[in-house]
Amino acid sequence: MKKIDISKKGLKKKKEKIKKFIKKNYINFFKNFPIILIFILTCLANTILLRLLTIHKIYNPKPILIDLGVLLIISSFTFLFKNKKSKKRYLFFWEIFTATLCTIHAIYYTYYSSFASISLLATSTFVVDVGDAVVENVMKIEDFIFIIPLIIFFYMFKKLEKQRQKELNKSENKISFINLIATGAIILLISGLMITKTEWSRFVKMWNRESVVSSFGLYVYQTNDFFQSIQPKINNLFGHDKAYKNVKEYYDENSYQQEKNEYTGIFEGKNIIVIHAESLQTIALEKSFEGTEVAPNIKKLASEGLYFSNYYSQVGVGTSSDAEFTFSTSLMPSSSGTVFVNYFDRKYITIQQGFKQKNYYTFSMHGNTGDFWNRATMHENMGYDKFYSKSSFDIDETIGLGLSDKSFFKQTVEKIKKIDEEHEEPYYGTLISLTNHTPFSDLELMDEYKTTWTLNINGENVTRDYINETTLGNYFRSVHYFDQAIGQFINDMDEAGLLENTVIVIYGDHDARISKKYYNMMYNYDPYTDKIKKENDEGYIDYNDYMYKLDRKVPLIIWSKNKKINKEIKTATGMIDAFPIVGNMFNVKSPYELGTDTTNKKDNVVVFTDGSYVTNKIYYNGQNGEIYNINGEAVDEEYIDKNSEYANKIIEVSNDIITYDLIKEIENKASEE
């Protein structure tokens, strides 16, 4: 009992010590310096109001804690100033800065459904675009609300300034500084431990700015945005001369030579519609349940057109935007950051620009916001005459991230018909789908398609639904929905008389990012036992990492109504090869293409951003040097070394072009000579 009493007394003493510590270091501190507390609360109120008015979420404690931690650190520097006037100016600056920042973000969000970026504002027409609207809406409370905390702060500052404030000596100023900055750091550390892996990934990529603000708060978002904005400029300071020499030598030795073949110029002068199919994998075209194919319409187009059945996405952290970039430029994605976000202001030679030089009208359409992946800015740079984003569509049906694919494609037919009527010249259009985007869970409208089947066991019909409610099952249902949307789009285009002189190109932008375990389940599920086969079971497939990598390939289909071309290309082909393939058919080219036309090649090297590559014979892992033999054909060291050297060179040249804006420099120097 005595030991228990002692422990209780010890616990009580500890509590008393903690109370005294808090009172001494915080309660008494803020009593002596209430303006610091008011500064923190008013700035924090503005960031909370911003999230409330934009993303309508304030219940998440993480951004509040992170903003609080940052504000404590900011306010700590007040005690490094020697006189009251300097301290006053410092606090006033940050108070005004926060109010102004929140106002800019609120206005920007109203028109772009995303948060502003330093680099995007510096190169966009944001101020011009929304200037009149700001004036028209000036009487709305949203335009004034961030001024309220600012007014409160100024009022309280003037009121407290009349009262006698405690003067601190040098030592006390130092202690106050350390206490505040340490407290802020501890809060940030605790908040950081609460952040999920997915949230950290979004923070690094910065493709979804709304998500970053929602998880990390305004100040960390803006700091991250600042460093992301200056990263390309910092990169430009180092290694330029070596990079220029490397790229110039590569193109001098590998000058562009168009390899004419049976497909050269066969579609010249025709319209072209490119469908950027979100997360569409080749494996979906091969699956069926209860006799119903997952993607019958797309499969039909593949069987009637030119179908690349070994086509691989080569994306990096930029996923969908990387696919757009690589398809359009025949360059690799950046190994550092995302081209659409970090290197959008560089000069690129794109397939869209090539069609414009042939007097085509170019446009793009997407049911999401123009700010998503910075498409509004990048599409203009790529050479599109017009970008029809979310604001151009009637959002009458929403699934997942935004406008449903069925509604989107239905509305695009109306817009394409209008373009066809208004423009005498042919057109190049890109349609970017959206519904088939992870996590494939918002599928209430797709319940008619089930990934199940019925089999007869001992005279009874038994329904198996082993993947029906899994991520893979939901994915197949989602693809089926997208396939229906494509089928209806083709029918609507035909009825509108828009297919007679139009070529349709469909490509999967990247794989669906579905875990390997679901593929293993699909290959090794035994419907009779309703269990997954084990290694010793008959028919067991040893599904390894390389089989998984090969299963993640995506389709490329080139189709026309007159079925002018009808062939399956089994040669390994990458996203980087799309420009040379499609360009050859329309006589459009770029001197900086790093890909190749694979329509008549027996073998090809598809390079990935980590240095790995795949050919028709092997998959080479650039990280550990492992080799996976695909077709059983023996390869020698020369074959491996030659392709490895090529893979590294392609990555190096492409990165140098992007990082140092070398296409612009090479062309400027050529024009001066």
Side-chain angles (χ1 to χ4, degrees), residues 572-588:
T573 305
M575 194 74 69
I576 201 172
D577 302 314
F579 189 162
I581 293 167
V582 176
N584 178 55
M585 296 175 178
F586 289 85
N587 277 324
V588 173

Side-chain angles (χ1 to χ4, degrees), residues 271-483:
N271 305 316
I272 175 173
I273 297 294
V274 178
I275 298 176
H276 172 112
E278 173 64 44
S279 303
L280 179 63
Q281 291 183 219
T282 303
I283 195 171
L285 277 62
E286 302 166 352
K287 292 296 293 182
S288 65
F289 296 90
E290 295 286 5
T292 303
E293 293 175 321
V294 172
N297 293 303
I298 300 173
K299 190 174 181 180
K300 183 173 183 290
L301 295 174
S303 67
E304 295 175 351
L306 193 64
Y307 173 45
F308 293 79
S309 56
N310 279 304
Y311 185 68
Y312 294 88
S313 177
Q314 296 167 285
V315 300
V317 297
T319 56
S320 295
S321 68
D322 281 350
E324 277 193 75
F325 175 76
T326 305
F327 181 95
S328 300
T329 63
S330 192
L331 297 175
M332 291 289 290
S334 171
S335 295
S336 174
T338 303
V339 173
F340 270 45
V341 175
N342 303 97
Y343 303 98
F344 62 88
D345 56 350
R346 303 315 200 228
K347 180 178 179 62
Y348 305 106
I349 304 300
T350 68
I351 195 169
Q352 293 83 9
Q353 294 167 1
F355 275 94
K356 279 176 68 66
Q357 289 174 4
K358 298 179 79 68
N359 297 317
Y360 272 63
Y361 176 74
T362 58
F363 64 89
S364 56
M365 298 181 181
H366 188 35
N368 209 329
T369 62
D371 194 63
F372 205 78
W373 277 128
N374 191 29
R375 282 191 172 104
T377 301
M378 190 62 186
H379 278 206
E380 182 179 354
N381 188 10
M382 290 167 70
Y384 287 109
D385 289 311
K386 185 170 182 178
F387 177 29
Y388 297 80
S389 61
K390 182 179 180 180
S391 59
S392 302
F393 291 88
D394 177 18
I395 312 301
D396 55 357
E397 182 180 69
T398 300
I399 300 178
L401 292 182
L403 181 64
S404 72
D405 282 349
K406 286 187 178 180
S407 178
F408 169 71
F409 282 109
K410 181 180 179 181
Q411 293 183 58
T412 60
V413 175
E414 299 168 4
K415 297 183 188 304
I416 294 171
K417 186 175 182 180
K418 188 176 180 180
I419 290 170
D420 188 68
E421 293 169 350
E422 293 179 350
H423 296 270
E424 294 183 2
E425 67 268 36
Y427 50 80
Y428 176 106
T430 297
L431 312 182
I432 304 171
S433 71
L434 186 60
T435 301
N436 192 44
H437 191 287
T438 183
F440 322 112
S441 55
D442 189 12
L443 305 175
E444 290 83 0
L445 299 179
M446 309 172 206
D447 283 340
E448 75 280 359
Y449 187 73
K450 298 289 186 181
T451 50
T452 61
W453 68 82
T454 304
L455 64 158
N456 188 284
I457 299 178
N458 298 325
E460 293 185 15
N461 288 332
V462 179
T463 299
R464 297 300 194 202
D465 59 353
Y466 76 112
I467 65 168
N468 189 45
E469 299 302 328
T470 68
T471 302
L472 184 60
N474 287 341
Y475 171 69
F476 285 143
R477 290 169 61 209
S478 181
V479 172
H480 188 70
Y481 174 87
F482 171 70
D483 179 81

Side-chain angles (χ1 to χ4, degrees), residues 49-325:
L49 284 171
L50 177 65
R51 287 192 294 275
L52 177 63
L53 294 174
T54 53
I55 57 181
H56 309 298
K57 293 179 181 179
I58 59 171
Y59 54 80
N60 186 358
K62 285 183 284 190
I64 297 174
L65 285 173
I66 292 173
D67 281 341
L68 174 61
V70 173
L71 286 168
L72 283 166
I73 292 173
I74 289 173
S75 61
S76 70
F77 287 92
T78 307
F79 296 95
L80 296 185
F81 293 98
K82 294 181 179 180
N83 56 68
K84 285 184 178 181
K85 197 172 184 180
S86 298
K87 291 179 180 180
K88 176 182 176 180
R89 287 175 177 173
Y90 177 76
L91 292 176
F92 275 23
F93 167 80
W94 280 106
E95 191 76 40
I96 295 170
F97 175 81
T98 298
T100 304
L101 194 64
C102 289
T103 302
I104 291 171
H105 281 301
I107 295 171
Y108 191 92
Y109 194 93
T110 300
Y111 295 91
Y112 294 101
S113 298
S114 184
F115 292 94
S117 164
I118 293 170
S119 56
L120 301 188
L121 285 175
T123 57
S124 73
T125 57
F126 167 69
V127 177
V128 176
D129 291 342
V130 304
D132 293 339
V134 171
V135 174
E136 290 173 10
N137 297 330
V138 73
M139 297 305 294
K140 287 186 177 181
I141 191 171
E142 288 86 344
D143 299 318
F144 290 103
I145 197 159
F146 302 106
I147 299 175
I148 295 173
L150 182 64
I151 293 172
I152 292 172
F153 175 77
F154 284 154
Y155 171 76
M156 292 303 298
F157 193 97
K158 289 292 182 184
K159 187 176 180 179
L160 291 168
E161 199 173 31
K162 295 176 183 179
Q163 302 174 12
R164 187 173 180 179
Q165 301 293 315
K166 181 182 177 181
E167 295 288 340
L168 296 180
N169 57 40
K170 187 176 180 180
S171 176
E172 289 173 325
N173 271 319
K174 185 177 179 181
I175 292 171
S176 298
F177 167 73
I178 293 172
N179 283 343
L180 283 180
I181 201 169
T183 304
I186 291 170
I187 290 175
L188 289 179
L189 179 61
I190 294 170
S191 303
L193 296 174
M194 297 165 63
I195 299 296
T196 66
K197 184 178 179 181
T198 300
E199 289 169 335
W200 278 119
S201 175
R202 290 174 178 172
F203 176 79
V204 172
K205 297 175 184 178
M206 283 289 276
W207 64 272
N208 188 336
R209 296 173 181 274
E210 180 178 307
S211 175
V212 175
V213 174
S214 179
S215 300
F216 291 86
L218 178 63
Y219 300 108
V220 170
Y221 160 78
Q222 207 66 68
T223 303
N224 186 30
D225 171 68
F226 171 75
F227 284 109
Q228 294 246 12
S229 298
I230 66 171
Q231 180 185 345
K233 296 174 178 59
I234 293 173
N235 289 343
N236 270 338
L237 299 175
F238 307 99
H240 168 273
D241 293 343
K242 181 182 178 182
Y244 180 84
K245 182 175 180 291
N246 178 50
V247 171
K248 193 73 169 60
E249 287 179 353
Y250 176 84
Y251 284 108
D252 286 343
E253 295 172 5
N254 301 275
S255 58
Y256 176 80
Q257 298 290 333
Q258 183 180 13
E259 297 180 13
K260 294 188 177 182
N261 56 37
E262 61 191 288
Y263 303 109
T264 302
I266 62 170
F267 292 133
E268 190 166 13
K270 287 185 175 291
N271 305 316
I272 175 173
I273 297 294
V274 178
I275 298 176
H276 172 112
E278 173 64 44
S279 303
L280 179 63
Q281 291 183 219
T282 303
I283 195 171
L285 277 62
E286 302 166 352
K287 292 296 293 182
S288 65
F289 296 90
E290 295 286 5
T292 303
E293 293 175 321
V294 172
N297 293 303
I298 300 173
K299 190 174 181 180
K300 183 173 183 290
L301 295 174
S303 67
E304 295 175 351
L306 193 64
Y307 173 45
F308 293 79
S309 56
N310 279 304
Y311 185 68
Y312 294 88
S313 177
Q314 296 167 285
V315 300
V317 297
T319 56
S320 295
S321 68
D322 281 350
E324 277 193 75
F325 175 76

Side-chain angles (χ1 to χ4, degrees), residues 613 618 620 627 635-648:
Y613 64 83
I618 64 169
Y620 175 80
I627 299 167
V635 295
D636 54 27
E637 287 188 18
E638 183 183 356
Y639 179 86
I640 297 166
D641 292 342
K642 180 182 176 182
N643 289 332
S644 296
E645 184 180 346
Y646 168 79
N648 292 331

